Amino acid sequence: MCMKAKGKVFVAVPAAVVLALAPCPAAGADDPSATPSPLPTQAYATIEAEKQLNVGSAAQSADVSWMFWDGGAQVPVPMNDTLVIDARDLTGIAGVAVDDPRCKADGQVITCVNSDATQSRSVHFTVRADADARLGDSGTIKYTLTADKATGATANAKVVVGIPNLVVGKVPDVSHAKIGSRVALPLQLRNTGDLATDRRVMVRWESEGGLAFDRKFSNCTYGEGDDAVEPGGHASVTCIFTAPVPALATVELSSPLTATVGKRVLNAVTDYSVTLLRPNVQPGGGSERGTGPALTLVPASGSGSGFETGAKGQFTVSADNSADLAATATAKPGRKAGEWTLELHAVNQGPASVYSITGKAVALIDVVLPKGTVATGNAFEEDEDTPYGQCLLRVSNTRTAPFEAGHRHYVCPVPFGVAAGKSQLFVLWGKTTKGYDGAKGTATVRPGPAGIPLHDPDASDDSVTFAFDASATPTATASSDGILAATGAGRTALIATAAGCAALLGGAVFVVRRRRRSH
């Protein structure tokens, strides 16, 4: 077990550690190696700290923490933790400062003591380069941990004067890309720091919307997966470079990244970033490695398209494609006479899928209920494949408000996007008045505030009318006490039951959340 948090908090150790400490199965009755390893009699200590710190004239923050574990032996909790930060090797290079009442400094040696087991097992400190230090000078901080009823531990951190800082170049957006064509995605990096990079450089692209990256570089891994809009819509590329990037140098990919514009692409959005990896850190990324030569960083041959202010950027590939969004409306009798359920769909009839770039709704259904009717409730469902938006009260052409019962005009936004061949469901419940004469309402799908051009080829299916049959027989899928009938345990029955509840409560928003699969 681990003991890291304040107080006597025991946390299960990783399975690999438990297996290492557990007795092994007997190899044979006469085999001396079959003797089980004894359980520990005291807690083992470990130290967690950065293995390298780059410092400059400004104070750089750093942290060191420690923990204890006992492999499930339930040993006594360690007491009087003492951490020594020995920075004497940094003389003439950098200085260490700690502002912590537990710590006392004796020159470049700082001793921090936990007199109570409930105290935090971490220390925050700063490191600043000396005024006379030269770029590239380096030294070592040594950490030593001791405690009563526990083993000790040591760790080191290399301190280097100078800070490399990589920023990414801007990648121009691509417009009017042809379906099936291949687009080139060049990238420049610039080291704006005062020291060459001395760690692995990781560049990563994460794309949604249907781009298919060519898998041709041996130092890159490629991945694909599901996203919020459709299965298989996510793609990633992660490349690792080991050669240093000199201070103030500008480099570029030896060959542009390339990708094919898939048949579902309308506006594919790609985020990209550069990271200096810490020692021993695994980069992650996709599971499939490229089969061609390695991609490298070479001196930039041109000025490029400018640079971002940091390590992240984004570009969009817009294709000559279209998405035909259509509205559908289905009115059904409610639990009692005069009550109704209205199911609305924003249907994407393709051929392209629609993604939100900014997080704003890509489309919305503008619904006006018939005269003589009002809404009493609203449900929105988060399905494992597509999240469904809720309906909002329309206040004006530019304003909405949270759902409120008793009105006729609502707006139902599609929050993330909708895949080709898929739809978004919205549900309203309501009631008719005694004077309802069969008048019709309208549901119209409109472009959303995301401002994505849909190039909708068929406007005839953007709007639909509906009416409520005042003489229809009420549904029996739910009993009057709100409990589902035995034959109506599906989604429709659940919605009908919720509609009854909304009527009883005078208007409500009912939320259904289904568990998402782990991919």
Side-chain angles (χ1 to χ4, degrees):
M1 292 189 177
C2 295
M3 293 166 274
K4 180 178 180 181
K6 296 180 181 181
K8 299 180 181 180
V9 179
F10 292 81
V11 183
V13 205
V17 175
V18 175
L19 291 173
L21 295 174
C24 298
D30 298 324
D31 186 355
S33 64
T35 304
S37 301
L39 290 174
T41 57
Q42 59 181 347
Y44 290 95
T46 59
I47 295 175
E48 298 177 7
E50 292 281 359
K51 295 184 180 298
Q52 179 172 317
L53 301 172
N54 287 87
V55 298
S57 57
Q60 301 292 318
S61 295
D63 294 279
V64 56
S65 61
W66 61 97
M67 62 188 296
F68 301 99
W69 57 276
D70 62 7
Q74 300 294 331
V75 297
V77 176
M79 301 292 292
N80 299 318
D81 311 0
T82 301
L83 177 72
V84 176
I85 304 174
D86 186 346
R88 288 175 293 183
D89 193 51
L90 301 184
T91 300
I93 299 173
V96 174
V98 179
D99 183 13
D100 191 313
R102 299 172 297 164
C103 304
K104 294 182 179 180
D106 181 7
Q108 285 282 68
V109 179
I110 300 169
T111 303
C112 305
V113 179
N114 274 2
S115 58
D116 190 319
T118 63
Q119 291 178 285
S120 172
R121 287 185 171 132
S122 66
V123 172
H124 177 78
F125 62 96
T126 58
V127 188
R128 187 194 304 265
D130 288 353
D132 297 331
R134 297 171 299 179
L135 288 174
D137 284 350
S138 63
T140 302
I141 296 177
K142 298 180 180 179
Y143 305 108
T144 303
L145 175 67
T146 59
D148 297 342
K149 304 175 183 177
T151 67
T154 59
N156 294 333
K158 182 180 180 181
V159 176
V160 181
V161 177
I163 303 175
N165 183 57
L166 292 180
V167 298
V168 296
K170 294 181 179 180
V171 177
D173 292 337
V174 178
S175 59
H176 300 292
K178 301 298 182 183
I179 298 301
S181 66
R182 182 174 281 107
V183 294
L185 306 170
L187 178 64
Q188 291 189 345
L189 305 176
R190 177 172 292 168
N191 184 357
T192 62
D194 55 11
L195 191 70
T197 61
D198 55 358
R199 305 183 186 188
R200 294 167 297 162
V201 176
M202 179 181 74
V203 181
R204 175 170 289 167
W205 294 261
E206 299 270 355
S207 183
E208 294 184 353
L211 287 185
F213 291 101
D214 296 328
R215 305 182 176 191
K216 59 183 182 179
F217 300 115
S218 59
N219 59 323
C220 301
T221 57
Y222 301 82
E224 61 184 19
D226 301 344
D227 58 31
V229 175
E230 64 181 331
H234 178 85
S236 69
V237 182
T238 302
C239 301
I240 305 298
F241 306 93
T242 56
V245 180
L248 305 180
T250 301
V251 296
E252 65 186 10
L253 302 179
S254 57
S255 178
L257 204 67
T258 54
T260 300
V261 181
K263 65 180 181 180
R264 301 298 192 195
V265 173
L266 181 66
N267 60 313
V269 183
T270 302
D271 294 302
Y272 60 99
S273 62
V274 62
T275 305
L276 289 174
L277 291 176
R278 294 177 294 176
N280 301 325
V281 169
Q282 297 300 317
S287 59
E288 184 172 335
R289 187 170 296 278
T291 56
L295 184 65
T296 60
L297 297 175
V298 298
S301 58
S303 59
S305 303
F307 283 83
E308 304 287 356
T309 57
K312 298 180 179 180
Q314 184 183 87
F315 63 88
T316 300
V317 175
S318 299
D320 285 337
N321 209 351
S322 63
D324 180 13
L325 294 191
T328 68
T330 304
K332 299 179 180 180
R335 296 169 61 252
K336 297 179 180 180
E339 295 180 356
W340 47 260
T341 296
L342 178 65
E343 293 188 5
L344 304 166
H345 283 87
V347 183
N348 183 0
Q349 300 185 132
S353 297
V354 183
Y355 286 74
S356 174
I357 301 175
T358 62
K360 297 180 180 179
V362 298
L364 53 87
I365 291 184
D366 187 334
V367 54
V368 180
L369 299 176
K371 291 182 179 180
T373 67
V374 295
T376 58
N378 163 231
F380 69 97
E381 181 180 345
E382 291 185 353
D383 186 81
E384 63 182 10
D385 293 324
T386 310
Y388 292 75
Q390 67 183 122
C391 294
L392 307 172
L393 175 66
R394 183 186 182 278
V395 178
S396 67
N397 287 336
T398 58
R399 285 185 56 214
T400 59
F403 178 86
E404 182 180 283
H407 300 273
R408 295 178 48 232
H409 202 167
Y410 296 90
V411 172
C412 307
V414 179
F416 303 112
V418 58
K422 303 292 183 179
S423 65
Q424 298 272 290
L425 168 68
F426 306 92
V427 176
L428 288 174
W429 310 302
K431 61 183 179 181
T432 58
T433 64
K434 292 183 179 180
Y436 176 63
D437 59 1
K440 293 183 178 181
T442 60
T444 306
V445 65
R446 306 184 190 279
I452 299 173
L454 302 177
H455 309 296
D456 194 327
D458 183 7
S460 65
D461 55 10
D462 291 356
S463 186
V464 65
T465 61
F466 59 90
F468 303 110
D469 186 355
S471 63
T473 303
T475 180
T477 55
S479 63
S480 60
D481 58 4
I483 300 174
L484 289 175
T487 59
R491 186 181 70 190
T492 303
L494 181 59
I495 291 174
T497 303
C501 295
L504 292 173
L505 295 173
V509 177
F510 181 73
V511 183
V512 181
R513 287 188 175 89
R514 292 183 179 178
R515 180 180 299 173
R516 296 176 181 268
R517 285 196 300 257
S518 298
H519 298 284

PDB file of all heavy atoms in Angstrom, residues 86-115:
ATOM      1  N   ASP A  86      20.134  19.281  -1.072  1.00  0.00           N
ATOM      2  CA  ASP A  86      21.552  19.644  -1.072  1.00  0.00           C
ATOM      3  C   ASP A  86      21.900  20.252  -2.427  1.00  0.00           C
ATOM      4  O   ASP A  86      21.993  19.551  -3.440  1.00  0.00           O
ATOM      5  CB  ASP A  86      22.402  18.405  -0.807  1.00  0.00           C
ATOM      6  CG  ASP A  86      23.879  18.731  -0.638  1.00  0.00           C
ATOM      7  OD1 ASP A  86      24.272  19.864  -0.986  1.00  0.00           O
ATOM      8  OD2 ASP A  86      24.638  17.847  -0.181  1.00  0.00           O
ATOM      9  N   ALA A  87      22.098  21.566  -2.446  1.00  0.00           N
ATOM     10  CA  ALA A  87      22.397  22.282  -3.688  1.00  0.00           C
ATOM     11  C   ALA A  87      23.817  22.810  -3.718  1.00  0.00           C
ATOM     12  O   ALA A  87      24.127  23.746  -4.462  1.00  0.00           O
ATOM     13  CB  ALA A  87      21.394  23.416  -3.879  1.00  0.00           C
ATOM     14  N   ARG A  88      24.732  22.238  -2.935  1.00  0.00           N
ATOM     15  CA  ARG A  88      26.105  22.737  -2.891  1.00  0.00           C
ATOM     16  C   ARG A  88      26.815  22.596  -4.234  1.00  0.00           C
ATOM     17  O   ARG A  88      27.733  23.352  -4.544  1.00  0.00           O
ATOM     18  CB  ARG A  88      26.893  22.001  -1.797  1.00  0.00           C
ATOM     19  CG  ARG A  88      26.476  22.408  -0.382  1.00  0.00           C
ATOM     20  CD  ARG A  88      27.180  21.593   0.668  1.00  0.00           C
ATOM     21  NE  ARG A  88      26.751  20.186   0.641  1.00  0.00           N
ATOM     22  CZ  ARG A  88      27.186  19.279   1.500  1.00  0.00           C
ATOM     23  NH1 ARG A  88      28.065  19.594   2.434  1.00  0.00           N
ATOM     24  NH2 ARG A  88      26.734  18.030   1.415  1.00  0.00           N
ATOM     25  N   ASP A  89      26.406  21.645  -5.041  1.00  0.00           N
ATOM     26  CA  ASP A  89      27.033  21.473  -6.354  1.00  0.00           C
ATOM     27  C   ASP A  89      26.655  22.587  -7.320  1.00  0.00           C
ATOM     28  O   ASP A  89      27.243  22.696  -8.402  1.00  0.00           O
ATOM     29  CB  ASP A  89      26.621  20.118  -6.942  1.00  0.00           C
ATOM     30  CG  ASP A  89      27.460  19.720  -8.135  1.00  0.00           C
ATOM     31  OD1 ASP A  89      28.707  19.766  -8.016  1.00  0.00           O
ATOM     32  OD2 ASP A  89      26.884  19.369  -9.186  1.00  0.00           O
ATOM     33  N   LEU A  90      25.693  23.431  -6.927  1.00  0.00           N
ATOM     34  CA  LEU A  90      25.273  24.534  -7.786  1.00  0.00           C
ATOM     35  C   LEU A  90      26.022  25.828  -7.501  1.00  0.00           C
ATOM     36  O   LEU A  90      25.693  26.870  -8.074  1.00  0.00           O
ATOM     37  CB  LEU A  90      23.767  24.784  -7.619  1.00  0.00           C
ATOM     38  CG  LEU A  90      22.816  23.630  -7.939  1.00  0.00           C
ATOM     39  CD1 LEU A  90      21.373  24.091  -7.813  1.00  0.00           C
ATOM     40  CD2 LEU A  90      23.073  23.071  -9.325  1.00  0.00           C
ATOM     41  N   THR A  91      27.018  25.795  -6.636  1.00  0.00           N
ATOM     42  CA  THR A  91      27.763  27.006  -6.278  1.00  0.00           C
ATOM     43  C   THR A  91      28.333  27.660  -7.536  1.00  0.00           C
ATOM     44  O   THR A  91      28.994  27.014  -8.355  1.00  0.00           O
ATOM     45  CB  THR A  91      28.904  26.661  -5.310  1.00  0.00           C
ATOM     46  OG1 THR A  91      28.348  26.072  -4.130  1.00  0.00           O
ATOM     47  CG2 THR A  91      29.681  27.919  -4.932  1.00  0.00           C
ATOM     48  N   GLY A  92      28.033  28.943  -7.705  1.00  0.00           N
ATOM     49  CA  GLY A  92      28.473  29.675  -8.883  1.00  0.00           C
ATOM     50  C   GLY A  92      27.601  29.445 -10.097  1.00  0.00           C
ATOM     51  O   GLY A  92      27.840  30.033 -11.159  1.00  0.00           O
ATOM     52  N   ILE A  93      26.589  28.581  -9.975  1.00  0.00           N
ATOM     53  CA  ILE A  93      25.714  28.241 -11.097  1.00  0.00           C
ATOM     54  C   ILE A  93      24.290  28.734 -10.848  1.00  0.00           C
ATOM     55  O   ILE A  93      23.711  29.448 -11.668  1.00  0.00           O
ATOM     56  CB  ILE A  93      25.715  26.727 -11.349  1.00  0.00           C
ATOM     57  CG1 ILE A  93      27.133  26.247 -11.697  1.00  0.00           C
ATOM     58  CG2 ILE A  93      24.727  26.351 -12.446  1.00  0.00           C
ATOM     59  CD1 ILE A  93      27.255  24.750 -11.785  1.00  0.00           C
ATOM     60  N   ALA A  94      23.724  28.339  -9.712  1.00  0.00           N
ATOM     61  CA  ALA A  94      22.342  28.706  -9.402  1.00  0.00           C
ATOM     62  C   ALA A  94      22.124  28.624  -7.899  1.00  0.00           C
ATOM     63  O   ALA A  94      22.899  27.973  -7.167  1.00  0.00           O
ATOM     64  CB  ALA A  94      21.354  27.792 -10.130  1.00  0.00           C
ATOM     65  N   GLY A  95      21.093  29.276  -7.431  1.00  0.00           N
ATOM     66  CA  GLY A  95      20.735  29.246  -6.018  1.00  0.00           C
ATOM     67  C   GLY A  95      19.329  28.708  -5.829  1.00  0.00           C
ATOM     68  O   GLY A  95      18.458  28.873  -6.685  1.00  0.00           O
ATOM     69  N   VAL A  96      19.095  28.043  -4.687  1.00  0.00           N
ATOM     70  CA  VAL A  96      17.809  27.450  -4.348  1.00  0.00           C
ATOM     71  C   VAL A  96      17.211  28.200  -3.171  1.00  0.00           C
ATOM     72  O   VAL A  96      17.921  28.516  -2.200  1.00  0.00           O
ATOM     73  CB  VAL A  96      17.960  25.955  -4.010  1.00  0.00           C
ATOM     74  CG1 VAL A  96      16.638  25.377  -3.522  1.00  0.00           C
ATOM     75  CG2 VAL A  96      18.461  25.179  -5.215  1.00  0.00           C
ATOM     76  N   ALA A  97      15.920  28.494  -3.221  1.00  0.00           N
ATOM     77  CA  ALA A  97      15.228  29.180  -2.127  1.00  0.00           C
ATOM     78  C   ALA A  97      13.930  28.451  -1.823  1.00  0.00           C
ATOM     79  O   ALA A  97      13.218  28.024  -2.735  1.00  0.00           O
ATOM     80  CB  ALA A  97      14.945  30.630  -2.493  1.00  0.00           C
ATOM     81  N   VAL A  98      13.641  28.318  -0.517  1.00  0.00           N
ATOM     82  CA  VAL A  98      12.416  27.658  -0.064  1.00  0.00           C
ATOM     83  C   VAL A  98      11.707  28.578   0.914  1.00  0.00           C
ATOM     84  O   VAL A  98      12.322  29.086   1.858  1.00  0.00           O
ATOM     85  CB  VAL A  98      12.715  26.305   0.612  1.00  0.00           C
ATOM     86  CG1 VAL A  98      11.427  25.658   1.102  1.00  0.00           C
ATOM     87  CG2 VAL A  98      13.439  25.375  -0.338  1.00  0.00           C
ATOM     88  N   ASP A  99      10.426  28.807   0.690  1.00  0.00           N
ATOM     89  CA  ASP A  99       9.605  29.595   1.613  1.00  0.00           C
ATOM     90  C   ASP A  99       8.586  28.651   2.231  1.00  0.00           C
ATOM     91  O   ASP A  99       7.454  28.539   1.782  1.00  0.00           O
ATOM     92  CB  ASP A  99       8.915  30.735   0.861  1.00  0.00           C
ATOM     93  CG  ASP A  99       8.102  31.630   1.787  1.00  0.00           C
ATOM     94  OD1 ASP A  99       8.278  31.517   3.014  1.00  0.00           O
ATOM     95  OD2 ASP A  99       7.290  32.434   1.270  1.00  0.00           O
ATOM     96  N   ASP A 100       9.023  27.930   3.274  1.00  0.00           N
ATOM     97  CA  ASP A 100       8.201  26.918   3.914  1.00  0.00           C
ATOM     98  C   ASP A 100       8.598  26.845   5.380  1.00  0.00           C
ATOM     99  O   ASP A 100       9.783  26.660   5.696  1.00  0.00           O
ATOM    100  CB  ASP A 100       8.418  25.556   3.239  1.00  0.00           C
ATOM    101  CG  ASP A 100       7.408  24.509   3.658  1.00  0.00           C
ATOM    102  OD1 ASP A 100       7.151  24.369   4.872  1.00  0.00           O
ATOM    103  OD2 ASP A 100       6.875  23.799   2.772  1.00  0.00           O
ATOM    104  N   PRO A 101       7.656  27.004   6.305  1.00  0.00           N
ATOM    105  CA  PRO A 101       8.012  27.000   7.741  1.00  0.00           C
ATOM    106  C   PRO A 101       8.626  25.689   8.208  1.00  0.00           C
ATOM    107  O   PRO A 101       9.262  25.659   9.271  1.00  0.00           O
ATOM    108  CB  PRO A 101       6.670  27.280   8.434  1.00  0.00           C
ATOM    109  CG  PRO A 101       5.616  26.913   7.431  1.00  0.00           C
ATOM    110  CD  PRO A 101       6.205  27.210   6.100  1.00  0.00           C
ATOM    111  N   ARG A 102       8.467  24.619   7.463  1.00  0.00           N
ATOM    112  CA  ARG A 102       9.053  23.337   7.850  1.00  0.00           C
ATOM    113  C   ARG A 102      10.528  23.259   7.506  1.00  0.00           C
ATOM    114  O   ARG A 102      11.216  22.321   7.932  1.00  0.00           O
ATOM    115  CB  ARG A 102       8.329  22.189   7.154  1.00  0.00           C
ATOM    116  CG  ARG A 102       6.853  22.052   7.479  1.00  0.00           C
ATOM    117  CD  ARG A 102       6.203  21.014   6.575  1.00  0.00           C
ATOM    118  NE  ARG A 102       6.256  21.408   5.165  1.00  0.00           N
ATOM    119  CZ  ARG A 102       6.046  20.585   4.140  1.00  0.00           C
ATOM    120  NH1 ARG A 102       5.797  19.303   4.373  1.00  0.00           N
ATOM    121  NH2 ARG A 102       6.093  21.031   2.903  1.00  0.00           N
ATOM    122  N   CYS A 103      11.033  24.217   6.711  1.00  0.00           N
ATOM    123  CA  CYS A 103      12.376  24.119   6.141  1.00  0.00           C
ATOM    124  C   CYS A 103      13.316  25.172   6.727  1.00  0.00           C
ATOM    125  O   CYS A 103      12.921  26.319   6.960  1.00  0.00           O
ATOM    126  CB  CYS A 103      12.307  24.275   4.619  1.00  0.00           C
ATOM    127  SG  CYS A 103      11.205  23.087   3.812  1.00  0.00           S
ATOM    128  N   LYS A 104      14.561  24.781   6.922  1.00  0.00           N
ATOM    129  CA  LYS A 104      15.615  25.678   7.371  1.00  0.00           C
ATOM    130  C   LYS A 104      16.821  25.516   6.464  1.00  0.00           C
ATOM    131  O   LYS A 104      17.177  24.396   6.080  1.00  0.00           O
ATOM    132  CB  LYS A 104      16.003  25.384   8.819  1.00  0.00           C
ATOM    133  CG  LYS A 104      14.902  25.682   9.836  1.00  0.00           C
ATOM    134  CD  LYS A 104      15.373  25.426  11.257  1.00  0.00           C
ATOM    135  CE  LYS A 104      14.278  25.755  12.266  1.00  0.00           C
ATOM    136  NZ  LYS A 104      14.704  25.519  13.676  1.00  0.00           N
ATOM    137  N   ALA A 105      17.469  26.667   6.131  1.00  0.00           N
ATOM    138  CA  ALA A 105      18.599  26.652   5.210  1.00  0.00           C
ATOM    139  C   ALA A 105      19.906  26.839   5.965  1.00  0.00           C
ATOM    140  O   ALA A 105      20.002  27.653   6.883  1.00  0.00           O
ATOM    141  CB  ALA A 105      18.427  27.745   4.166  1.00  0.00           C
ATOM    142  N   ASP A 106      20.900  26.097   5.562  1.00  0.00           N
ATOM    143  CA  ASP A 106      22.272  26.247   6.045  1.00  0.00           C
ATOM    144  C   ASP A 106      23.147  26.358   4.805  1.00  0.00           C
ATOM    145  O   ASP A 106      23.636  25.364   4.285  1.00  0.00           O
ATOM    146  CB  ASP A 106      22.673  25.040   6.890  1.00  0.00           C
ATOM    147  CG  ASP A 106      24.091  25.171   7.446  1.00  0.00           C
ATOM    148  OD1 ASP A 106      24.685  26.257   7.285  1.00  0.00           O
ATOM    149  OD2 ASP A 106      24.603  24.189   8.012  1.00  0.00           O
ATOM    150  N   GLY A 107      23.276  27.597   4.310  1.00  0.00           N
ATOM    151  CA  GLY A 107      23.948  27.779   3.037  1.00  0.00           C
ATOM    152  C   GLY A 107      23.100  27.203   1.924  1.00  0.00           C
ATOM    153  O   GLY A 107      21.926  27.518   1.769  1.00  0.00           O
ATOM    154  N   GLN A 108      23.667  26.310   1.130  1.00  0.00           N
ATOM    155  CA  GLN A 108      22.965  25.688   0.028  1.00  0.00           C
ATOM    156  C   GLN A 108      22.388  24.326   0.401  1.00  0.00           C
ATOM    157  O   GLN A 108      22.029  23.548  -0.476  1.00  0.00           O
ATOM    158  CB  GLN A 108      23.897  25.534  -1.181  1.00  0.00           C
ATOM    159  CG  GLN A 108      24.174  26.846  -1.927  1.00  0.00           C
ATOM    160  CD  GLN A 108      23.002  27.230  -2.830  1.00  0.00           C
ATOM    161  OE1 GLN A 108      21.916  27.577  -2.363  1.00  0.00           O
ATOM    162  NE2 GLN A 108      23.231  27.180  -4.130  1.00  0.00           N
ATOM    163  N   VAL A 109      22.309  24.059   1.693  1.00  0.00           N
ATOM    164  CA  VAL A 109      21.684  22.830   2.173  1.00  0.00           C
ATOM    165  C   VAL A 109      20.420  23.197   2.932  1.00  0.00           C
ATOM    166  O   VAL A 109      20.472  23.954   3.912  1.00  0.00           O
ATOM    167  CB  VAL A 109      22.635  22.006   3.063  1.00  0.00           C
ATOM    168  CG1 VAL A 109      21.927  20.748   3.571  1.00  0.00           C
ATOM    169  CG2 VAL A 109      23.897  21.630   2.304  1.00  0.00           C
ATOM    170  N   ILE A 110      19.279  22.682   2.494  1.00  0.00           N
ATOM    171  CA  ILE A 110      17.985  23.005   3.089  1.00  0.00           C
ATOM    172  C   ILE A 110      17.399  21.725   3.668  1.00  0.00           C
ATOM    173  O   ILE A 110      17.328  20.696   2.988  1.00  0.00           O
ATOM    174  CB  ILE A 110      17.038  23.604   2.046  1.00  0.00           C
ATOM    175  CG1 ILE A 110      17.639  24.876   1.458  1.00  0.00           C
ATOM    176  CG2 ILE A 110      15.664  23.882   2.637  1.00  0.00           C
ATOM    177  CD1 ILE A 110      16.921  25.392   0.239  1.00  0.00           C
ATOM    178  N   THR A 111      16.979  21.790   4.925  1.00  0.00           N
ATOM    179  CA  THR A 111      16.413  20.626   5.614  1.00  0.00           C
ATOM    180  C   THR A 111      14.964  20.913   5.977  1.00  0.00           C
ATOM    181  O   THR A 111      14.656  21.914   6.625  1.00  0.00           O
ATOM    182  CB  THR A 111      17.207  20.294   6.881  1.00  0.00           C
ATOM    183  OG1 THR A 111      18.577  20.070   6.532  1.00  0.00           O
ATOM    184  CG2 THR A 111      16.651  19.053   7.557  1.00  0.00           C
ATOM    185  N   CYS A 112      14.078  20.033   5.549  1.00  0.00           N
ATOM    186  CA  CYS A 112      12.642  20.182   5.796  1.00  0.00           C
ATOM    187  C   CYS A 112      12.163  18.983   6.613  1.00  0.00           C
ATOM    188  O   CYS A 112      12.436  17.831   6.243  1.00  0.00           O
ATOM    189  CB  CYS A 112      11.868  20.257   4.484  1.00  0.00           C
ATOM    190  SG  CYS A 112      12.447  21.552   3.349  1.00  0.00           S
ATOM    191  N   VAL A 113      11.421  19.250   7.691  1.00  0.00           N
ATOM    192  CA  VAL A 113      11.007  18.196   8.612  1.00  0.00           C
ATOM    193  C   VAL A 113       9.493  18.224   8.793  1.00  0.00           C
ATOM    194  O   VAL A 113       8.914  19.278   9.053  1.00  0.00           O
ATOM    195  CB  VAL A 113      11.694  18.352   9.981  1.00  0.00           C
ATOM    196  CG1 VAL A 113      11.241  17.253  10.940  1.00  0.00           C
ATOM    197  CG2 VAL A 113      13.216  18.330   9.836  1.00  0.00           C
ATOM    198  N   ASN A 114       8.885  17.068   8.655  1.00  0.00           N
ATOM    199  CA  ASN A 114       7.477  16.879   9.001  1.00  0.00           C
ATOM    200  C   ASN A 114       7.414  16.306  10.408  1.00  0.00           C
ATOM    201  O   ASN A 114       7.780  15.155  10.627  1.00  0.00           O
ATOM    202  CB  ASN A 114       6.800  15.911   8.027  1.00  0.00           C
ATOM    203  CG  ASN A 114       6.285  16.607   6.778  1.00  0.00           C
ATOM    204  OD1 ASN A 114       6.460  17.812   6.622  1.00  0.00           O
ATOM    205  ND2 ASN A 114       5.677  15.848   5.888  1.00  0.00           N
ATOM    206  N   SER A 115       6.963  17.097  11.350  1.00  0.00           N
ATOM    207  CA  SER A 115       6.847  16.613  12.721  1.00  0.00           C
ATOM    208  C   SER A 115       5.535  15.898  12.978  1.00  0.00           C
ATOM    209  O   SER A 115       5.353  15.277  14.028  1.00  0.00           O
ATOM    210  CB  SER A 115       6.989  17.792  13.704  1.00  0.00           C
ATOM    211  OG  SER A 115       6.003  18.784  13.430  1.00  0.00           O
TER     212      SER A 115
END
